[in-house]
Amino acid sequence: MKKRKYLSVLVYVALLTISIVANIYPVLLDFGLTFIIPTIFLLIILSLYGFPVGLLSALITAGVGLYIDGSMIGAFLLITEVAAVGLLLKYRKWGVFQSALLYWLMIGMPIFIIYIYVFSGLDGWFAVLALVSKLLNNILCALVAEILLTYVPFKRWIQGSEKNTYSFHFLISHIVLLAIALPYSIFLIGDLHYTQNQIERSMSSQLQGRAKIITNELRDWDEYSILALRLQGVLQVAKVDSLIGAIDEQNMHVYVMDKDNRILYSNSPSTLESTVAKFSDEGHFTEIGKNSYQWMPEKPNGMDDVAIIGETSYLYTVEFKKNSMRILIEAPLRTMFEEEVKSFALEYANLLLFIVIGIGFTALLKAYIIRTFGKLSDTTTGLPKKLKESAHIKWPTTRMIEFNKLTDNFKETSFELTEMFGELQESRNRLHDMAYYDSLTGVKNRSYFMGILKDSVGFAEKGDPHTLLFMDLNGFKGINDTYGHDTGDAVLKQIAKRLTEACGKVGTLARLGGDEFVVLLPNSSRERAAEMAESIIKQVEQPIHYNDNLLQVGISIGISLYLHDSHSVDELMHHGDMAMYVSKAAEGRSRFTFYDTISQEGDENK
């Protein structure tokens, strides 16, 4: 138990550590986009350790991220997502992916839309790209978390529970969504990276080309021309305007400065000093070619990564040694590559659309499969009972070959079960007959009769007594010795049949053994017992035809009455036996005797 507890703590610490690190160091994509994955591990913690631990872990992860220059909006969305998913898991019993999807559609995206258009400064297709990438990021994280929870045995590791179980529609949903999202995401990332590289090469070439136009003219300027340009000389300004006219049409910003970094010329509304300060004091430079750089600003504390997408620029700088002039050309990403960003935004949106279509498709597939298998499930529910009761079973059929094969297997199994049940019932009947019925005559045996007798006398009332007729055949031994046991058995069967007819449904007939039989008459009067005895004698004394032989036996009957002359089962049997022997010893072949007449005669003799 302690080992399992330590393992549980170790798994939790590992998941929390990974979520914190993943939040601090997101996966960097091109165009300033990031793929943030701490949600995966926080949702796993939430599912394994419960709502309080999951929410606390989200607070820790977000808090550490904010402390190390994290995103305020990112931290807020992270905490609210874990809280919302935790509540849905606890009270609605929804899946992780379904709960996260509902959160982002109902809460997360409306909040993020407000942030993008009000606080981030993004607009146009840059804003759309930021929105769809954020939604896609978190939906994919939720999907990965659910897949890991479903197929990785976390609970067995930390709780010692049995293997993970999952429904068929979960498996189908995961396969379909992965088949859509995984290859498309790989394609998007590859296309994004390829386009970024192409843009960098193209931009480096464009910047060098534009700079070459200017440098070919300005590299040979003398100090007089430079001074005239600084003083806004008409001729010099016009010449530079004509040189960079094409560049200005490309939305590039050109700065011409002297050796002291004083502005000689600029077509940008911002001052050179602010631009140079911005590029010098903050941000990240990535060399993309000779004298060409990509610049991305530092992320302001508490702001989201998407806020810096629109501030990215491409730079080209060249310095003339002859006259100490320097040229800086800036190409803002926002204005230069609107079409490329639009293309990526649409591709991200397409992936989201495909995921939605995949969800709808799996929902339809789930409904079809559940309906189809539901019919089979309804048919096979309680199948053993239906087979025992010989109920009519209508087997469902579809156009699916595999389903029909499964149905055929059930049919075959049902047929075999029916045969097994039949054989089992026959065996049970045989065992029942062996336990409670005489194997020769088919009437109840001694063991079964004694149980019935005990139960019957236990409920006897003081009104009409229970009557026992104890019977023994007369002349049977002679038939058995003369004609053999087969003939004797045939006689016993015939006598048992006649006794059964005589008793009808009123009495309970049993064979005690040999040629001894008993009949129990519940709540029977003395007169009714005498009538039954006379009927039995009449039936038994009729001749029996067997193998061309005419056979005849008699019967001696002793009658005892419970609560009249007997007060226990043993007394009832014993007194009936005694009365039967009195009948057998008296003159005449067949007669019946009441036990109380024997006791009265004994009292008189005394």
Side-chain angles (χ1 to χ4, degrees):
M1 183 63 69
K2 287 185 177 180
K3 184 178 179 181
R4 188 75 62 185
K5 185 177 181 180
Y6 291 147
L7 182 60
S8 176
V9 173
L10 182 62
V11 171
Y12 170 73
V13 172
L15 291 172
L16 180 60
T17 303
I18 295 173
S19 70
I20 293 173
V21 173
N23 191 45
I24 298 173
Y25 302 104
V27 179
L28 298 177
L29 303 177
D30 295 292
F31 282 98
L33 298 176
T34 57
F35 192 78
I36 304 174
I37 61 174
T39 310
I40 297 175
F41 307 100
L42 290 175
L43 291 178
I44 293 175
I45 291 174
L46 181 67
S47 298
L48 295 178
Y49 297 94
F51 179 75
V53 177
L55 184 58
L56 177 62
S57 302
L59 290 171
I60 294 173
T61 301
V64 173
L66 281 176
Y67 180 77
I68 309 178
D69 195 22
S71 165
M72 186 71 72
I73 185 65
F76 176 77
L77 291 174
L78 186 68
I79 295 170
T80 54
E81 179 181 4
V82 172
V85 172
L87 292 175
L88 290 173
L89 289 177
K90 184 176 182 180
Y91 295 107
R92 297 301 298 269
K93 307 300 181 183
W94 286 7
V96 169
F97 178 72
Q98 186 181 12
S99 301
L101 182 62
L102 180 65
Y103 162 79
W104 279 102
L105 293 178
M106 302 299 294
I107 301 174
M109 282 310 294
I111 294 174
F112 198 64
I113 289 173
I114 294 173
Y115 165 76
I116 287 294
Y117 286 103
V118 176
F119 299 103
S120 72
L122 293 178
D123 55 16
W125 287 104
F126 280 90
V128 175
L129 178 60
L131 290 172
V132 294
S133 64
K134 188 73 171 181
L135 180 58
L136 185 61
N137 182 167
N138 287 277
I139 288 178
L140 291 179
C141 284
L143 177 61
V144 172
E146 184 174 89
I147 290 174
L148 292 176
L149 285 167
T150 303
Y151 306 107
V152 177
F154 288 112
K155 291 187 177 181
R156 189 172 62 178
W157 294 345
I158 65 176
Q159 299 174 3
S161 58
E162 297 180 356
K163 293 183 178 180
N164 293 11
T165 58
Y166 47 86
S167 62
F168 180 70
H169 84 268
F170 258 77
L171 178 63
I172 293 297
S173 300
H174 294 160
I175 291 175
V176 171
L177 293 178
L178 275 181
I180 293 173
L182 186 60
Y184 203 104
S185 298
I186 294 174
F187 166 76
L188 273 182
I189 294 173
D191 189 33
L192 191 68
H193 183 68
Y194 173 78
T195 303
Q196 174 82 5
N197 290 336
Q198 290 296 103
I199 287 175
E200 289 176 356
R201 294 191 186 96
S202 174
M203 184 52 60
S204 177
S205 177
Q206 288 186 50
L207 290 174
Q208 290 181 27
R210 299 298 183 269
K212 187 175 182 180
I213 296 174
I214 302 173
T215 56
N216 287 339
E217 176 65 28
L218 299 184
R219 72 170 63 249
D220 296 325
W221 278 23
D222 54 22
E223 292 184 2
Y224 172 78
S225 299
I226 295 173
L227 178 61
L229 180 62
R230 184 161 63 87
L231 296 175
Q232 299 296 304
V234 176
L235 181 61
Q236 285 74 18
V237 171
K239 184 174 291 188
V240 176
D241 282 340
S242 65
L243 291 174
I244 66 173
I247 298 177
D248 192 34
E249 292 177 1
Q250 296 291 330
N251 295 314
M252 294 183 181
H253 300 155
V254 180
Y255 304 92
V256 181
M257 63 198 80
D258 61 14
K259 60 182 179 180
D260 298 322
N261 285 334
R262 288 176 297 187
I263 298 175
L264 301 179
Y265 178 90
S266 173
N267 67 340
S268 172
S270 60
T271 64
L272 177 64
E273 286 78 4
S274 63
T275 302
V276 172
K278 179 176 70 173
F279 292 153
S280 301
D281 298 337
E282 58 185 36
H284 301 281
F285 288 88
T286 303
E287 187 173 1
I288 62 174
K290 185 178 180 181
N291 298 328
S292 302
Y293 305 90
Q294 181 196 59
W295 176 83
M296 295 182 66
E298 289 282 1
K299 182 178 67 174
N301 188 31
M303 299 298 286
D304 195 74
D305 293 311
V306 296
I308 66 175
I309 296 176
E311 300 299 324
T312 300
S313 296
Y314 292 95
L315 306 175
Y316 183 86
T317 179
V318 62
E319 185 175 350
F320 308 135
K321 294 182 179 180
K322 182 177 180 180
N323 53 23
S324 300
M325 290 179 64
R326 189 155 65 95
I327 297 175
L328 176 66
I329 302 177
E330 176 192 5
L333 177 64
R334 177 180 293 189
T335 57
M336 293 291 295
F337 300 103
E338 184 81 11
E339 287 300 318
E340 286 78 2
V341 172
K342 175 183 176 181
S343 175
F344 285 124
L346 291 177
E347 287 183 0
Y348 274 75
N350 286 338
L351 178 54
L352 284 173
L353 178 62
F354 289 150
I355 290 177
V356 172
I357 293 174
I359 294 173
F361 173 75
T362 54
L364 293 175
L365 186 62
K366 170 188 172 183
Y368 176 74
I369 291 175
I370 288 180
R371 184 176 69 251
T372 303
F373 281 91
K375 293 179 181 178
L376 183 59
S377 176
D378 293 340
T379 302
T380 55
T381 299
L383 183 61
K385 183 179 179 181
K386 294 177 182 177
L387 295 176
K388 288 180 180 179
E389 296 174 352
S390 300
H392 175 69
I393 300 176
K394 184 178 180 181
W395 296 99
T397 58
T398 67
R399 290 182 292 178
M400 285 194 298
I401 296 175
E402 292 78 8
F403 179 83
N404 290 334
K405 287 183 178 179
L406 181 61
T407 303
D408 291 339
N409 290 337
F410 272 109
K411 287 181 180 179
E412 184 177 350
T413 302
S414 300
F415 178 75
E416 293 178 356
L417 283 175
T418 302
E419 290 187 337
M420 290 175 60
F421 284 144
E423 294 174 357
L424 180 61
Q425 188 61 41
E426 290 179 2
S427 299
R428 291 177 63 182
N429 292 339
R430 286 196 298 270
L431 290 174
H432 183 271
D433 291 344
M434 291 173 62
Y436 299 112
Y437 291 89
D438 180 60
S439 59
L440 176 64
T441 61
V443 300
K444 296 177 179 63
N445 60 17
R446 182 186 186 94
S447 176
Y448 192 16
F449 178 79
M450 293 304 295
I452 295 175
L453 181 60
K454 290 178 181 179
D455 292 339
S456 297
V457 299
F459 293 100
E461 299 179 357
K462 292 186 177 181
D464 294 330
H466 281 43
T467 305
L468 177 72
L469 281 68
F470 202 108
M471 301 171 288
D472 186 85
L473 298 181
N474 301 328
F476 174 74
K477 186 176 183 302
I479 293 174
N480 211 25
D481 293 341
T482 303
Y483 298 100
H485 292 290
D486 290 342
T487 302
D489 291 344
V491 170
L492 288 175
K493 290 179 182 179
Q494 186 63 33
I495 294 299
K497 182 178 180 182
R498 293 178 179 181
L499 291 175
T500 301
E501 293 175 355
C503 294
K505 296 181 179 180
V506 177
T508 301
L509 172 67
R511 180 190 177 200
L512 298 182
D515 58 352
E516 289 185 338
F517 293 86
V518 289
V519 173
L520 175 65
L521 298 175
N523 300 321
S524 176
S525 64
R526 186 184 186 91
E527 291 75 13
R528 182 71 185 88
E531 292 175 0
M532 177 65 71
E534 290 175 353
S535 176
I536 289 173
I537 291 172
K538 184 178 180 180
Q539 290 275 6
V540 170
E541 286 187 336
Q542 293 181 13
I544 299 173
H545 297 274
Y546 183 76
N547 287 343
D548 299 328
N549 295 315
L550 186 63
L551 309 173
Q552 189 172 18
V553 295
I555 190 167
S556 298
I557 304 174
I559 304 174
S560 57
L561 289 81
Y562 184 70
L563 295 180
H564 178 72
D565 55 47
S566 305
H567 295 83
S568 68
V569 171
D570 292 339
E571 280 190 353
L572 190 64
M573 291 290 291
H574 179 62
H575 292 168
D577 186 35
M578 290 178 64
M580 181 272 294
Y581 275 107
V582 170
S583 296
K584 187 176 282 290
E587 295 180 359
R589 295 290 296 170
S590 299
R591 60 169 291 177
F592 63 89
T593 303
F594 283 93
Y595 174 77
D596 58 358
T597 60
I598 301 174
S599 59
Q600 290 174 4
E601 291 175 0
D603 292 340
E604 291 175 358
N605 292 333
K606 289 180 181 179

